[in-house]
Amino acid sequence: MLLSLTAFDYWSINLKSFTHLHNNTGLGKASMENFGTTDSRPEWEALKSIVFIGNHLPRQCGIATFTTHLLESIALNAPDKACWAVAMNDRQEGYSYPSQVRVEINQNQLNDYSLAADLLNLNRVDVICLQHEYGIFGGKRGSFIIDLLRDLNMPVVTTLHTILKDPALQDRHIMMQLAELSDRLVVMSERSVEFLHDIYQVPEEKIVLIHHGIPDVPFVESDAYKDKFSVAGKKIVLTFGLLSPGKGIEVVIDALPEIVKAHPRVIYMVVGATHPHLKAEQGEDYRNSLYRRAKELSVSEHIVFHDRFVADEDLLEFIGAADIYVTPYQNEAQIISGTLAYALGMGKAVVSTPYWHAQELLADDRGRLVPFRDRAALAREVIDLLDHPDECRAIQERAYQYGRKMVWSHVGHRYLDTFAEAKRQRLRKNVPEHRLETFGLRQQRLPEIKLGYLHRMTDDTGLLQHAKYTVPDRTHGYCVDDNARALIVAVTLQDLQPLDSELSDLAAIYLSFLGHAFNGQTGRFRNFMSYDRRWLEEAGSEDSHGRAVWGLGVAVALGRDAGEVVYAVDLFHRALDIIEHFTHPRAIAFAIIGIHAYLSRYSGDSRARRMRKILSDRLMQQFRDFATEGWPWCEGIMTYDNARLPQALLLSGQWLPDREMLEMGLRALDWLKQVQTDEAGRHFAAIGNQGWFPKDGKKARFDQQPIEAAAMVDACIEAFNCTQDEAWSAYAYRCLNWYQGENDLGVPLCDYATGGCRDGLEAQGANQNQGAESTLCWLMTLLAVYNHRGWDRVTPGEEPGRLDVEKVS
């Protein structure tokens, strides 16, 4: 039985059939020769079922290969255990998995993670073994996996495939939460142990060192395999693995002329497909550049490319045929290399650059290290090994003997011991209670992000402003305001779903609209365009210009298409000068938010930094001039998009840094939160646009607009970033729930069927039109909360260059 979490009705599952999983894991292709013999131990008796979470073959990546082999090793060493997998999918259609994959998760669908946690809890799984790599889970830096781990009540053993020496704040938080929510952390090198202890302060008792597994094969001369590849009589230098620029293949090609001059019978074999994510974004540009390089250096006849993802049995034969294995990675920050482990364990003489794992595995004369990007040194070491076969043989034997402790049978035993110990002695604190009614409910499940309605409202010109019910209304044409917001939605979602090419196409439409809207003669954006593509003004409002700058800043910060980013940078700079003279506080705030986004990518841009300072000081002065004890605001009336003002102050207060701005932003936002909470203190109640909220007057109850909730969500999340106070996160969720019916009338505004949003809350009910602004605000709200998920319970920390609120309060 295979359960896909993207297509099943969770509560209709036959849980009995799911609970009684059979022990046959479908490992017909796994050989006992490669994985070792069975040897059950008494301490393993408490383990009945073990589930692995990660990528799985036939998905083509190193994590998939590792997860598959680890599961097979455990199942063969302990055949009385039920072993199965939860596989991460990076594409909607998934993969043709074998029977041991019982559940699939769409990595970008947050709710799939909670549903998976429920299934694992309900089936009383004994131990979870998570394979962690930042890039295989959804959310900012893979934060969605934290949702799943929080809800699990069984022991979790997490294998860490990447541990960063100098982590960004996001990466540090993810690792700290993994450490907190796991009972044991398995690492594969001594350097990894040091990093966890010294950089992330993980207790030593949580850290377990288990080497990367390798197949158990006999030590055989390379000539035995060469006939199969038609290279008998040749000397084979091998590199294998998924191709990408960081692998440094070009350095070996550059070294080949010198190697071939000394040893004309050398063949360099490059085995492996182009990494699928690289191929999706750049096609075969990298591989083709290698072909051209070899041709230019006249060594094409000495290079053989095997452009395919290699099955295990073929891979062992490729490695077997090699005389020398080369890993020419281009920087030291490679803490684990499965390809290196395989080559060393099979007794190959290895020449490698000194990345961290290579330094460790090739110590004590088990291989040769050469400087990064040094073709001459690489050529010299390869030639020396070929010149001295006895020394080459000695290195091979030392490597093979060292690798005996890395064979899968031994690794499987170590993991089973770790699983048993984790079950015997839990090291995770605050384990969720084992009650059905609490499963998956520790955090609110989020609606799916649907773009169908956004597509409906978009044509080849841009995004239409209005709709009659759910039908685009062409009467009012287009505007910069909405296309700037739409650009923010497209690139933000692209950051979450980088392989979705449709998002880049949408971003290009909205970016093109902004480019066409810019009037080079005035330095201003026009705002309104009729449906027949006539501009209705020479210059739009300050607000529309500020929103355009905001959208462009986000496009620069998060854009993945190089051409779109260059276009956005150019337009951003052309639009920058005029805003120095803006006086409208919202326009200033929009521009500040956009500049901060831009500077997250180009932090050294002095022109943008100068403009940020000018605008931030101006906004702060407006608050100084008007705010009082009972009215901490910069105007005599509160109107629309109010929370963007304190959001801008919070951003600038942190990053300039400026203590007064930070405190003013928190004070204004806290007051705004009180103003926009209903009298019973239960839900968000936005300031209505039928009278707004004048100083010394009464707040209008209706019409409440989606734009207010969206602004509050972003501002509250920024306040949380400043303070680490979970009350701000809670209020952000309250504003999200306003769309879903927790409001003054108890009616939902978001439309789950279309993915759109109704145009506001009126006295008689929801406005049934679903225009662009409302829909975009709903999508922006969802995206903000999706990106915040996994960050709403974090350990406070200080990021360089950012003002810590604890030091100013």
Side-chain angles (χ1 to χ4, degrees):
M1 178 176 61
L2 176 66
L3 300 178
S4 171
L5 289 179
T6 59
F8 77 105
D9 180 355
Y10 165 63
W11 294 113
S12 69
I13 292 173
N14 184 336
L15 295 175
K16 181 178 180 181
S17 65
F18 191 80
T19 301
H20 298 292
L21 295 169
H22 56 72
N23 291 329
N24 175 13
T25 53
L27 305 178
K29 293 184 179 179
S31 66
M32 295 299 291
E33 290 79 7
N34 286 348
F35 288 89
T37 58
T38 61
D39 179 21
S40 184
R41 298 180 180 179
E43 55 266 34
W44 301 348
E45 291 181 0
L47 302 172
K48 304 301 181 185
S49 57
I50 303 166
V51 174
F52 298 80
I53 302 175
N55 297 350
H56 196 286
L57 294 176
R59 181 171 173 178
Q60 297 181 5
C61 72
I63 304 297
T65 301
F66 183 93
T67 306
T68 304
H69 287 169
L70 179 58
L71 189 158
E72 291 170 344
S73 175
I74 298 297
L76 287 167
N77 279 286
D80 59 326
K81 315 302 179 190
C83 298
W84 49 281
V86 176
M88 306 303 303
N89 286 333
D90 60 347
R91 61 188 193 187
Q92 188 67 33
E93 65 271 25
Y95 297 87
S96 181
Y97 291 115
S99 59
Q100 62 260 36
V101 173
R102 305 287 180 181
V103 177
E104 299 173 37
I105 293 178
N106 181 329
Q107 70 177 44
N108 294 317
Q109 292 300 326
L110 178 59
N111 288 337
D112 280 10
Y113 294 80
S114 296
L115 292 174
D118 288 350
L119 284 171
L120 295 167
N121 286 331
L122 288 166
N123 283 275
R124 305 293 193 265
V125 173
D126 287 305
V127 174
I128 299 295
C129 185
L130 171 71
Q131 304 305 308
H132 182 266
E133 178 63 81
Y134 286 100
I136 71 172
F137 304 109
K140 283 286 188 182
R141 298 299 287 156
S143 61
F144 287 178
I145 191 61
I146 302 302
D147 262 42
L148 189 154
L149 294 181
R150 279 182 183 156
D151 287 345
L152 294 178
N153 52 42
M154 72 287 293
V156 174
V157 175
T158 298
T159 304
L160 300 173
H161 291 264
T162 292
I163 305 173
L164 300 173
K165 181 181 179 181
D166 299 302
L169 183 62
Q170 290 181 333
D171 298 324
R172 178 185 290 276
H173 282 331
I174 294 298
M175 186 60 67
M176 298 293 281
Q177 289 180 94
L178 284 170
E180 177 186 344
L181 298 172
S182 301
D183 293 272
R184 300 293 187 279
L185 295 175
V186 174
V187 296
M188 292 177 266
S189 67
E190 294 285 358
R191 186 70 62 97
S192 300
V193 175
E194 295 172 8
F195 282 7
L196 282 184
H197 184 264
D198 297 341
I199 300 172
Y200 299 95
Q201 290 78 52
V202 177
E204 291 184 4
E205 61 268 22
K206 269 198 176 186
I207 306 172
V208 181
L209 172 60
I210 304 176
H211 286 287
H212 193 295
I214 62 171
D216 189 1
V217 298
F219 185 83
V220 179
E221 295 289 348
S222 60
D223 290 343
Y225 294 95
K226 291 180 179 178
D227 280 339
K228 177 171 182 177
F229 304 109
S230 301
V231 290
K234 305 290 187 180
K235 291 296 182 181
I236 304 303
V237 177
L238 172 71
T239 297
F240 78 87
L242 295 174
L243 256 65
S244 62
K247 298 295 178 68
I249 307 298
E250 58 270 27
V251 180
V252 186
I253 295 176
D254 290 345
L256 267 185
E258 192 68 23
I259 296 171
V260 170
K261 182 179 178 181
H263 291 274
R265 293 185 301 152
V266 162
I267 296 292
Y268 179 39
M269 295 178 66
V270 182
V271 178
T274 302
H275 196 291
H277 291 180
L278 177 69
K279 189 172 181 178
E281 292 183 358
Q282 301 179 18
E284 293 289 5
D285 286 352
Y286 177 61
R287 184 182 295 273
N288 291 335
S289 74
L290 298 178
Y291 292 154
R292 292 192 299 271
R293 202 180 200 109
K295 186 176 180 180
E296 291 166 0
L297 295 173
S298 301
V299 292
S300 295
E301 294 183 358
H302 294 272
I303 302 180
V304 177
F305 288 91
H306 290 271
D307 180 10
R308 59 191 176 94
F309 187 78
V310 182
D312 290 345
E313 53 269 28
D314 293 332
L315 178 58
L316 299 183
E317 292 176 338
F318 275 116
I319 300 173
D323 297 288
I324 297 173
Y325 182 74
V326 180
T327 56
Y329 300 159
Q330 298 194 34
N331 66 76
E332 68 173 358
Q334 177 90 16
I335 205 157
I336 295 298
S337 170
T339 61
L340 175 62
Y342 269 49
L344 177 131
M346 291 182 65
K348 298 295 131 178
V350 178
V351 177
S352 175
T353 50
Y355 54 90
W356 293 326
H357 201 204
Q359 292 177 34
E360 191 169 314
L361 288 190
L362 302 184
D364 301 324
D365 294 322
R366 291 188 294 269
R368 301 279 182 87
L369 296 175
V370 298
F372 295 105
R373 302 178 183 85
D374 191 333
R375 65 181 183 183
L378 192 149
R380 184 169 56 250
E381 294 297 339
V382 171
I383 291 169
D384 185 67
L385 289 174
L386 294 176
D387 283 344
H388 301 91
D390 291 342
E391 173 59 19
C392 186
R393 172 76 179 203
I395 289 175
Q396 292 170 342
E397 291 177 352
R398 286 192 290 268
Y400 184 79
Q401 289 304 317
Y402 183 83
R404 294 308 83 208
K405 62 183 178 181
M406 299 163 59
V407 297
W408 277 116
S409 57
H410 181 75
V411 168
H413 277 72
R414 291 292 316 283
Y415 268 94
L416 282 163
D417 288 342
T418 303
F419 297 157
E421 180 64 18
K423 185 171 176 61
R424 186 187 69 80
Q425 183 183 13
R426 300 293 304 272
L427 295 181
R428 174 186 172 180
K429 300 177 181 178
N430 302 319
V431 177
E433 292 184 29
H434 196 122
R435 296 203 313 269
L436 177 62
E437 64 268 22
T438 65
F439 289 162
L441 299 180
R442 293 186 68 235
Q443 279 194 312
Q444 174 183 335
R445 287 184 179 147
L446 300 179
E448 180 182 351
I449 298 173
K450 295 182 177 181
L451 295 185
Y453 192 71
L454 185 63
H455 280 282
R456 183 186 301 184
M457 293 287 290
T458 302
D459 60 20
D460 59 356
T461 299
L463 183 72
L464 289 160
Q465 286 190 75
H466 296 291
K468 292 182 178 178
Y469 301 103
T470 58
V471 179
D473 183 359
R474 302 180 182 184
T475 305
H476 302 284
Y478 317 85
C479 70
V480 158
D481 288 319
D482 290 333
N483 279 271
R485 294 188 189 101
L487 179 60
I488 292 171
V489 167
V491 295
T492 304
L493 188 55
Q494 193 176 17
D495 190 48
L496 283 176
Q497 302 178 9
L499 298 181
D500 189 340
S501 60
E502 288 189 353
L503 294 172
S504 182
D505 294 340
L506 282 175
I509 291 173
Y510 307 136
L511 195 53
S512 176
F513 186 91
L514 295 184
H516 187 51
F518 187 73
N519 186 334
Q521 294 180 343
T522 64
R524 292 284 292 270
F525 287 95
R526 292 163 286 212
N527 191 16
F528 295 109
M529 173 190 274
S530 65
Y531 184 70
D532 59 0
R533 298 186 178 183
R534 289 182 298 105
W535 288 110
L536 304 181
E537 59 200 352
E538 288 303 310
S541 64
E542 287 189 4
D543 276 14
S544 63
H545 192 102
R547 283 198 182 94
V549 170
W550 176 13
L552 293 168
V554 175
V556 172
L558 302 180
R560 301 183 67 87
D561 182 289
E564 291 176 6
V565 171
V566 171
Y567 186 95
V569 167
D570 175 67
L571 190 54
F572 176 89
H573 276 287
R574 287 193 286 149
L576 204 57
D577 286 340
I578 196 73
I579 61 177
E580 181 176 353
H581 308 291
F582 282 5
T583 58
H584 194 282
R586 282 159 189 79
I588 293 171
F590 301 153
I592 290 172
I593 295 169
I595 292 172
H596 275 286
Y598 172 89
L599 288 172
S600 71
R601 187 161 192 164
Y602 297 113
S603 59
D605 189 323
S606 58
R607 184 177 169 212
R609 293 167 69 93
R610 171 182 167 274
M611 192 62 68
R612 175 179 65 178
K613 182 70 165 63
I614 290 172
L615 295 178
S616 300
D617 286 344
R618 182 170 301 152
L619 183 60
M620 186 63 226
Q621 188 61 50
Q622 290 176 342
F623 271 88
R624 289 195 200 98
D625 291 344
F626 207 90
T628 64
E629 184 65 28
W631 185 266
W633 204 244
C634 62
E635 301 173 296
I637 185 171
M638 300 186 73
T639 55
Y640 60 92
D641 229 356
N642 294 297
R644 298 298 174 191
L645 279 64
Q647 180 188 353
L649 289 178
L650 292 175
L651 284 166
S652 293
Q654 292 170 85
W655 294 104
L656 285 177
D658 187 295
R659 171 177 177 157
E660 184 185 12
M661 287 182 192
L662 188 62
E663 291 180 335
M664 188 70 247
L666 289 171
R667 178 186 167 203
L669 185 61
D670 185 65
W671 179 69
L672 185 57
K673 183 175 71 170
Q674 297 174 42
V675 167
Q676 296 192 117
T677 298
D678 75 306
E679 293 180 359
R682 294 171 301 187
H683 59 254
F684 176 72
I687 293 170
N689 65 9
Q690 300 300 309
W692 305 114
F693 182 22
K695 186 179 181 181
D696 300 326
K698 185 177 180 181
K699 182 186 87 169
R701 188 180 181 192
F702 298 108
D703 296 347
Q704 297 180 32
Q705 300 295 304
I707 194 173
E708 301 307 319
M712 281 298 291
V713 167
D714 280 345
C716 287
I717 289 174
E718 197 55 50
F720 171 83
N721 293 339
C722 296
T723 65
Q724 304 298 303
D725 184 348
E726 292 181 12
W728 291 114
S729 287
Y731 201 81
Y733 279 95
R734 179 177 290 186
C735 296
L736 169 72
N737 292 337
W738 176 86
Y739 292 93
Q740 301 182 87
E742 292 186 18
N743 51 49
D744 281 349
L745 299 184
V747 298
L749 292 166
C750 60
D751 186 335
Y752 298 112
T754 67
C757 181
R758 298 170 181 90
D759 277 351
L761 197 66
E762 302 174 349
Q764 66 274 21
N767 182 328
Q768 294 301 313
N769 297 327
Q770 295 185 21
E773 178 183 291
S774 301
T775 294
L776 291 166
C777 287
W778 164 238
L779 292 173
M780 290 171 73
T781 297
L782 265 185
L783 284 167
V785 176
Y786 263 77
N787 278 324
H788 184 53
R789 201 66 168 245
W791 286 80
D792 40 8
R793 296 173 186 269
V794 297
T795 303
E798 183 177 355
E799 188 173 357
R802 184 174 184 169
L803 187 62
D804 188 342
V805 73
E806 297 295 331
K807 297 180 179 180
V808 301
S809 58

